[in-house]
Amino acid sequence: MRRTGWRKTRDLSDRMEWKYTAEQQFMTWTVKAIDRNILASGIAGFILGCISFVGILLGLLLQKPGMLQVFILGIFASSYLFVTMGMEKTVFVYRATEERLEICQWQNIPDLVFTFLKVFPFIIVGIILMALISNPALSIAALAGPAMVGILLASVGGDSNYKAIYKRFRRDEVIWSEIRKVLLDERKGLLALSVDWENRVIDPAEVDLANKEHHIHLYPIYFRKDQEQAVLSLMKEKMAEGTSLMDGSYKYPFSG
């Protein structure tokens, strides 16, 4: 997990609401984190795609003097998408009550990104037209890469629900009495819970916290370093007596 520099964050998105507002609230906290292994989540492929895109621009645009500015624009656009969407943070907001821990989460993608997705295809079309004007002998195959990028982004930007889709709004809840085992990873700033879900894949009693292959069955709860002791005290107070807790290193699912 990687945290951002802290700025004021509202407790809850205006697109979401708590389900159990009638229950007495004991504690709330908010965390922004990249909740996965970055390289294993497709970022490497995204970088290669950006490099390929920039390579195509280099081949097309530097054939004529005065086109360096457009090439720099291509680098900027690729880098902007990589940072804002490839490394987006998830906002986690937690609300603890007597019976449960409610969790609301969404992707912390700035609204400016969605505006950029609508505009960027037109930039690509302009680049393609400029390339054709400067060199009419260019083949369609040479332009296929930038054209496909433009079509992909246009399809995303044209979807009326694309913002909600990419924000990934989600709500979960963990019942205190259903927690069976807990793994504490202080370095990543999380507690990984083995919970007796109704739709469980494996019996919580069979989960081995020391076996990283079993971590796919754990549910991570994040905390800020300055709130670690408060969160740990809350968990120990609310979990059933005898629930095992051990220190270790949490492996993100599908991280290779």
Side-chain angles (χ1 to χ4, degrees):
M1 165 187 160
R2 292 163 174 79
R3 301 179 190 82
T4 65
W6 272 96
R7 293 176 297 174
K8 179 66 177 177
T9 302
R10 71 182 66 162
D11 289 336
L12 199 60
S13 167
D14 53 10
R15 294 287 302 272
M16 306 184 78
E17 60 183 21
W18 298 119
K19 185 177 179 180
Y20 300 98
T21 53
E23 296 184 9
Q24 182 182 355
Q25 179 176 295
F26 287 96
M27 180 180 176
T28 63
W29 71 96
T30 303
V31 176
K32 285 191 277 188
I34 298 179
D35 60 328
R36 63 194 181 281
N37 183 302
I38 296 176
L39 292 179
S41 61
I43 300 304
F46 188 84
I47 294 175
L48 290 176
C50 291
I51 292 174
S52 300
F53 177 52
V54 171
I56 293 172
L57 288 178
L58 179 64
L60 294 177
L61 303 178
L62 294 188
Q63 298 179 31
K64 295 288 182 178
M67 302 294 285
L68 181 60
Q69 294 85 347
V70 184
F71 171 57
I72 293 174
L73 176 62
I75 296 178
F76 168 77
S78 300
S79 301
Y80 180 75
L81 286 178
F82 166 67
V83 171
T84 55
M85 298 199 72
M87 297 185 68
E88 76 274 15
K89 289 83 178 174
T90 301
V91 179
F92 295 89
V93 185
Y94 301 91
R95 178 178 182 269
T97 71
E98 181 67 39
E99 299 293 331
R100 73 198 81 242
L101 182 66
E102 285 190 82
I103 307 107
C104 287
Q105 64 183 75
W106 63 93
Q107 296 295 306
N108 189 43
I109 304 175
D111 289 341
L112 182 61
V113 174
F114 301 100
T115 302
F116 183 76
L117 284 174
K118 291 182 177 180
V119 174
F120 191 48
F122 297 100
I123 297 176
I124 293 179
V125 170
I127 291 174
I128 293 174
L129 291 176
M130 291 177 66
L132 284 173
I133 292 172
S134 64
N135 188 354
L138 285 172
S139 66
I140 298 299
L143 301 174
M148 289 302 295
V149 173
I151 292 172
L152 176 62
L153 292 178
S155 66
V156 172
D159 187 336
S160 60
N161 297 315
Y162 74 98
K163 184 175 179 179
I165 292 171
Y166 276 85
K167 284 284 191 177
R168 299 177 193 171
F169 293 101
R170 174 178 167 181
R171 182 199 162 278
D172 295 308
E173 63 180 84
V174 175
I175 309 300
W176 300 120
S177 60
E178 294 179 347
I179 300 174
R180 298 291 176 258
K181 298 179 181 179
V182 181
L183 176 70
L184 169 62
D185 188 329
E186 293 189 64
R187 187 178 66 84
K188 293 187 177 72
L190 64 84
L191 290 158
L193 313 180
S194 175
V195 183
D196 195 2
W197 305 105
E198 183 177 338
N199 58 343
R200 65 191 183 193
V201 177
I202 184 174
D203 191 309
E206 298 178 2
V207 172
D208 181 4
L209 298 179
N211 184 349
K212 293 192 174 183
E213 298 303 318
H214 285 198
H215 290 185
I216 191 174
H217 305 296
L218 303 180
Y219 187 91
I221 301 294
Y222 295 93
F223 52 79
R224 301 200 309 266
K225 194 64 180 177
D226 62 323
Q227 292 185 329
E228 178 178 349
Q229 292 306 314
V231 173
L232 283 175
S233 297
L234 172 71
M235 298 294 290
K236 291 176 181 177
E237 176 186 349
K238 297 300 180 183
M239 292 186 305
E241 186 176 352
T243 302
S244 59
L245 188 153
M246 65 171 284
D247 296 333
S249 176
Y250 175 72
K251 177 186 176 183
Y252 291 111
F254 316 112
S255 61

